Amino acid sequence: MPEGPSIVILREAAARFAGRKVLRVAGNSTQDIGRMRGRRVLAVRSWGKHFLLQFDGFGLRIHFMLFGSWRIGEAKATPPRLSLGFGRGEALNFYACSVKFIEGELDRAYDWSADVMGDAWDAAAARRKLRAMPQAIVADALLDQTVFAGVGNIIKNEVLHRIRVHPESPVGALPPRKLSELVAQARAYSFDFYRWKQDLVLKQHWQVHAQRTCPRDGTPLSARRRLGRAQRRAFWCDTCQRLYGADRDPRAANPPP
Ligand SMILES: [Zn+2]
């Protein structure tokens, strides 16, 4: 699944379509995609893992789910969910993604302060939201898109290793300094991810995600296919990642849904 930084890279690559008119629309989406024909793209935006195009009076939202992908200019052999054609034969093609329209202005449709890589990102607001969910384990809190829009499973695993926190620590058990570090590193790591991805060296920088041993202390990493409410794959080091609140009843920290 593409995480926030990949969507920022797509947004930057697609920025050249801002101000241009959609000449052709195709695709197997069941939405009323024809409404974009002849309309001008007013802005190319993104929020977390959502890629967005603002048109006059409505917005297009693309979410890539688990297997979605895109091509700019070229086309894949598989039929696109949505293809937007522009002048000079240029096209934006989306595959295996969710297509949705948002009526009105995108500005009003989203909490922009939650977009971890956005200009309007608000760390204090994120800390406030976290304090309101003391029972949630940090692995789930990091994946909560209302707090950290754009953070996905890789960023989650890497941030928790970076700040030396066990993924099953309840948010409420973190000392205030750790909570601030969590918020700060969710953003900082996202920008590192963005740079490494552009330089095609992202995987070389993974410390724990899909790895076997901790680069800090050589401990064999713990891995679980499904962890927390989000049921996402987790990798961590039991030596250098501290389980905060371990003295509490773990069932109280993570009640069943
Ligand atoms: Zn370690």
Side-chain angles (χ1 to χ4, degrees), residues 71-86:
R71 290 287 184 277
I72 297 179
E74 58 191 29
K76 282 184 162 187
T78 48
R81 180 72 28 90
L82 175 65
S83 173
L84 298 176
F86 297 87

Side-chain angles (χ1 to χ4, degrees), residues 118-132:
D119 296 337
W121 165 250
D122 184 343
R127 290 193 297 269
R128 255 192 326 271
K129 291 172 194 167
L130 290 174
R131 284 194 294 268

Side-chain angles (χ1 to χ4, degrees), residues 161 214 216-217 219 237 239-240:
H161 182 259
C214 175
R216 258 187 213 129
D217 45 51
T219 307
C237 172
T239 301
C240 64

Side-chain angles (χ1 to χ4, degrees), residues 10 16 22 31 38 57 65 78 97 117 119 132-133 152 155-156 165 177 187 191 198 204 207 236:
L10 163 62
R16 65 170 183 265
V22 176
Q31 300 288 309
M65 320 295 284
T78 48
C97 57
M117 295 185 71
D119 296 337
M133 51 169 84
I155 297 174
K156 175 207 77 184
V165 172
R177 250 184 58 199
R187 179 167 166 95
F191 279 100
Q198 281 191 315
Q204 296 169 29
Q207 305 291 298
W236 72 91

